[in-house]
Amino acid sequence: MCFVTIKIMNVDEQNQTEVKPFIIANPIYDTVFKKLMENRRIVTFFLSTILECPVTAIEVLPQEFTHVKKTDKDGGMVPYSIFRVDFMATVQTGDGKYGKILIEVQKSLGLADVNRFRQYLGEQYSKRDLVTVNNGVRELSLPITTIYILGTRLAKIKCSCLKVERTYTDMVENEPVAERDDFVEKLTHNSYFIQAGRITDNRYSTHLEKLLSIFEQSDFVGGNSEVLKEYRYRPDVEEIKIITDVLHEMGVDPEERKRIENEAEFIRTIDDTYGAETRELTETVREQAKLLEEKARSLEEQAKEIAELKRRLTGNINKQNL
């Protein structure tokens, strides 16, 4: 089962009573996250919080991919749709600028995942986007922003929410450039990385920390470590309450729960079948990269030695000619 138990540990200050726990679906699964992104108020809160600016207009673009079937334990075929990109939308921010947002929820990381999304990014850069402006539709090339929600941890990045932002630098004067150019903006992009495995349960003050607490994955309880967790905070922001209400409905609805369980089983099947092979391939590529790097260093040292030998030989010839 793929749902999460929220247990509010704080106390109602007026009634001095403990808030009763309730079940919510785990938003790290594609099926659940897609449901959240269907709620415009949740989307607006999510993007405004992550992007750190007001989002005033949103046009959600449908992103559902090929239907995949697998055999269940009883020999029947279970349908399951893979959402390659969980969310894509064009937005307008408070300063009047338009952009395209891509959100990817990735439970595990491998070489194939990186290459797949690089390919998808290339496709998005090549497309022209339709945007509603003043009740009319215009065709534009929009700047892209990517948001990755990772179920695994990046080895060298310890923070739970990482912002990778571009800067402009005058290389001749070695000074920052404050101005922004539309041509440059459309050929480069900012990225945000949320590491669910690094979200801690002891920070709940800012809107960002309250949003991240929904994705916290380390406080699981019960027999299946992927199923239940204790959530230690009272939702004190209206949007957070809306999010937990949506997740609660999915967690208690038998049909919704079955869909989530099918996805979890599908992921486990894929990981059992291809996970070891993918991890082995990724490790092989890393080892080959190390060998190539060492070989490059060796060739560089040899080139330096040859250059030094040539310099000495030239010096000796010049001395003999004198």
Side-chain angles (χ1 to χ4, degrees), residues 213-253:
S213 71
I214 299 297
F215 296 91
E216 189 272 329
Q217 298 286 300
S218 63
D219 197 21
F220 291 106
V221 296
N224 189 331
S225 61
E226 294 183 359
V227 175
L228 305 173
K229 78 168 187 176
E230 291 183 343
Y231 185 84
R232 304 178 187 275
Y233 305 104
R234 172 190 295 278
D236 56 1
V237 175
E238 184 62 25
E239 286 82 2
I240 297 296
K241 186 178 185 307
I242 294 172
I243 292 174
T244 55
D245 285 346
V246 171
L247 297 178
H248 174 67
E249 292 176 4
M250 294 194 73
V252 299
D253 182 86

Side-chain angles (χ1 to χ4, degrees), residues 127-133 136-142:
K127 289 182 179 179
R128 296 183 67 83
D129 307 297
L130 299 178
V131 181
T132 302
V133 181
V137 178
R138 295 178 56 188
E139 189 178 86
L140 302 172
S141 292
L142 296 178

Side-chain angles (χ1 to χ4, degrees), residues 291-307:
L291 292 174
L292 290 173
E293 185 177 349
E294 292 173 0
K295 187 173 182 180
R297 283 198 297 266
S298 176
L299 290 173
E300 185 178 354
E301 291 297 325
Q302 292 178 18
K304 289 180 180 179
E305 292 176 1
I306 292 173

Side-chain angles (χ1 to χ4, degrees), residues 121-298:
L121 274 173
E123 294 173 359
Q124 292 305 314
Y125 269 115
S126 67
K127 289 182 179 179
R128 296 183 67 83
D129 307 297
L130 299 178
V131 181
T132 302
V133 181
N134 298 326
N135 296 322
V137 178
R138 295 178 56 188
E139 189 178 86
L140 302 172
S141 292
L142 296 178
I144 292 175
T145 299
T146 57
I147 301 174
Y148 303 89
I149 302 174
L150 308 178
T152 54
R153 300 182 180 189
L154 301 174
K156 297 182 180 180
I157 306 297
K158 307 302 181 182
C159 61
S160 60
C161 191
L162 174 70
K163 178 181 181 180
V164 180
E165 191 175 28
R166 298 154 301 133
T167 58
Y168 288 30
T169 303
D170 183 335
M171 294 181 65
V172 175
E173 301 295 337
N174 194 28
E175 294 179 351
V177 177
E179 293 78 11
R180 293 293 180 266
D181 185 84
D182 192 55
F183 180 79
V184 177
E185 291 296 295
K186 291 175 181 178
L187 291 176
T188 56
H189 69 274
N190 293 341
S191 293
Y192 299 81
F193 298 82
I194 297 173
Q195 298 190 79
R198 294 194 184 276
I199 299 173
T200 60
D201 60 359
N202 59 354
R203 302 190 61 162
Y204 194 79
S205 24
T206 67
H207 275 60
L208 175 61
E209 290 168 354
K210 293 172 183 180
L211 176 61
L212 293 178
S213 71
I214 299 297
F215 296 91
E216 189 272 329
Q217 298 286 300
S218 63
D219 197 21
F220 291 106
V221 296
N224 189 331
S225 61
E226 294 183 359
V227 175
L228 305 173
K229 78 168 187 176
E230 291 183 343
Y231 185 84
R232 304 178 187 275
Y233 305 104
R234 172 190 295 278
D236 56 1
V237 175
E238 184 62 25
E239 286 82 2
I240 297 296
K241 186 178 185 307
I242 294 172
I243 292 174
T244 55
D245 285 346
V246 171
L247 297 178
H248 174 67
E249 292 176 4
M250 294 194 73
V252 299
D253 182 86
E255 293 185 3
E256 292 283 8
R257 184 182 297 183
K258 182 61 178 175
R259 290 178 60 201
I260 304 167
E261 291 171 354
N262 285 344
E263 179 184 342
E265 180 63 25
F266 180 85
I267 292 172
R268 283 192 291 269
T269 301
I270 292 297
D271 188 62
D272 291 342
T273 305
Y274 302 106
E277 180 180 344
T278 300
R279 287 188 288 271
E280 182 179 349
L281 176 60
T282 301
E283 187 60 30
T284 300
V285 171
R286 288 175 180 168
E287 291 297 327
Q288 289 177 348
K290 289 181 182 179
L291 292 174
L292 290 173
E293 185 177 349
E294 292 173 0
K295 187 173 182 180
R297 283 198 297 266
S298 176

Side-chain angles (χ1 to χ4, degrees), residues 6-13 16-22 231 233-235:
I6 278 193
K7 186 177 181 181
I8 309 298
M9 302 300 291
N10 60 338
V11 176
D12 187 306
E13 295 180 357
Q16 294 297 308
T17 57
E18 184 177 326
V19 180
K20 294 181 180 180
F22 59 96
Y231 185 84
Y233 305 104
R234 172 190 295 278

Side-chain angles (χ1 to χ4, degrees), residues 30-61:
D30 291 343
T31 304
V32 184
F33 188 76
K34 179 176 180 288
K35 186 72 172 182
L36 290 179
M37 294 296 100
E38 291 173 354
N39 185 303
R40 188 165 296 274
R41 186 167 179 182
I42 292 176
V43 173
T44 302
F45 175 74
F46 181 92
L47 293 179
S48 298
T49 302
I50 298 298
L51 301 178
E52 301 176 291
C53 66
V55 174
T56 59
I58 298 175
E59 292 185 39
V60 179
L61 307 175

